[in-house]
Amino acid sequence: MKKDLNITPLNTLSLVDKVEMRINEYIKNNNLEVGDSIPKELQFAEALGVSRTVIREALSRLRTIGIIESKKHKGMVLSHPDFIQNFEKVIDSNLLGDKTLKDIFELRLILEMGMVDILFARKTEDDIKELEEIVDRMESNNSESTVFKLENEVAFHGKLYEMSGNSTLQRFQNILLPVFQYVHEHKLPNAEPYKYSKKFTTHRELLNFLKEDNIKGFRKGLANHLEPHLDRVLEKVKS
């Protein structure tokens, strides 16, 4: 039985961590916006009772993730942080654990299935024409198959994300695709060639659903198209 020793847990936050939190609180509490100036290092140091070196390191962290930037004649001001760019830096580090990589693998599937309604609401004739050209090229190269190929995913599914009209979603997709292939090939259990529960839905058939404005057919077809990946991530749930 675990005994309560009534001891306050050790605070593992460093002094720089605490200062970074206080500066963020200052920004929120004062309702500062992009372009607004923030106090100088010395002002923060005096207010928080720490050295300027600690303040400088905390501000450096905020500058690295794009929350603040230095402006000539204005000092430090708030800026638009590019969270996708920050996420990309983490992905490129190759330091993510297996659990995180698998979670990202699942995230791509969730995004793909979740964007169907907005995709149909925003698709244009020009989009359909470009998507048809992509499928034509795939078929002329005899690359239309049930085998996962990164180049096919980038071309076809990347265009779907572009058609959604959401630039953040599109950039996120570009980051997730290499992770998707890596996890599929190296982190998920090896298996025999996948046997679909029903006829495989090709890129051409998905395109036809879009052309016919058949959202119900597209949704079912996309789930079937992604079935091998969905089955793999749900394998433990089913067993």
Side-chain angles (χ1 to χ4, degrees):
M1 181 177 177
K2 185 177 179 180
K3 188 177 180 180
D4 186 0
L5 298 179
N6 196 28
I7 297 177
T8 303
L10 291 172
N11 190 337
T12 58
L13 291 177
S14 70
L15 187 56
V16 176
D17 292 330
K18 294 175 182 177
V19 167
E20 182 183 356
M21 290 174 60
R22 292 293 181 272
I23 294 175
N24 273 317
E25 287 173 4
Y26 173 85
I27 292 170
K28 292 177 184 177
N29 294 340
N30 287 277
N31 297 315
L32 299 184
E33 300 179 351
V34 172
D36 288 344
S37 297
I38 64 172
K40 300 181 184 301
E41 287 179 6
L42 181 58
Q43 291 174 286
F44 273 130
E46 291 176 346
L48 295 172
V50 298
S51 70
R52 292 182 64 176
T53 301
V54 173
I55 298 296
R56 192 173 297 119
E57 186 174 343
L59 291 173
S60 178
R61 290 183 181 183
L62 298 178
R63 187 180 292 108
T64 298
I65 60 177
I67 290 180
I68 63 172
E69 62 180 335
S70 297
K71 289 281 190 181
K72 195 172 183 180
H73 306 306
K74 287 194 69 176
M76 293 176 293
V77 300
L78 298 182
S79 59
H80 285 288
D82 189 336
F83 83 95
I84 292 292
Q85 186 180 64
N86 290 319
F87 184 75
E88 189 173 19
K89 290 176 182 177
V90 174
I91 292 289
D92 285 343
S93 70
N94 294 324
L95 297 176
L96 299 179
D98 287 2
K99 175 64 168 61
T100 301
L101 286 170
K102 289 179 182 178
D103 283 348
I104 294 173
F105 179 88
E106 293 178 19
L107 179 59
R108 187 255 169 154
L109 296 174
I110 294 168
L111 290 174
E112 190 105 353
M113 293 302 301
M115 71 174 184
V116 174
D117 288 282
I118 196 168
L119 174 65
F120 270 75
R122 294 179 175 174
K123 64 184 174 68
T124 67
E125 288 301 319
D126 287 340
D127 287 330
I128 298 299
K129 181 179 178 181
E130 186 175 341
L131 200 58
E132 187 150 25
E133 290 172 354
I134 291 171
V135 174
D136 286 343
R137 286 197 300 272
M138 286 181 184
E139 294 175 345
S140 66
N141 294 329
N142 296 317
S143 61
E144 180 64 79
S145 69
T146 62
V147 179
F148 176 85
K149 290 185 179 180
L150 183 60
E151 59 268 28
N152 286 359
E153 296 293 302
V154 170
F156 186 86
H157 296 268
K159 179 58 185 176
L160 294 184
Y161 278 75
E162 180 187 325
M163 289 165 61
S164 74
N166 187 305
S167 58
T168 299
L169 186 61
Q170 186 181 349
R171 290 180 63 199
F172 205 50
Q173 154 79 350
N174 293 336
I175 297 172
L176 295 185
L177 273 173
V179 175
F180 190 81
Q181 185 184 39
Y182 174 76
V183 175
H184 187 268
E185 293 179 350
H186 301 287
K187 298 298 181 183
L188 293 175
N190 292 325
E192 296 296 321
Y194 188 82
K195 294 181 180 179
Y196 284 81
S197 60
K198 49 183 175 286
K199 177 180 172 292
F200 174 71
T201 302
T202 66
H203 289 120
R204 172 68 66 184
E205 288 168 322
L206 289 174
L207 170 61
N208 288 338
F209 286 133
L210 282 165
K211 291 167 70 174
E212 297 161 4
D213 206 31
N214 184 350
I215 189 170
K216 185 176 180 181
F218 183 88
R219 199 188 305 277
K220 289 183 177 179
L222 184 59
N224 172 242
H225 184 79
L226 298 173
E227 183 181 327
H229 314 308
L230 290 167
D231 267 9
R232 283 193 169 191
V233 299
L234 295 174
E235 186 176 4
K236 290 184 178 181
V237 176
K238 294 178 180 178
S239 60

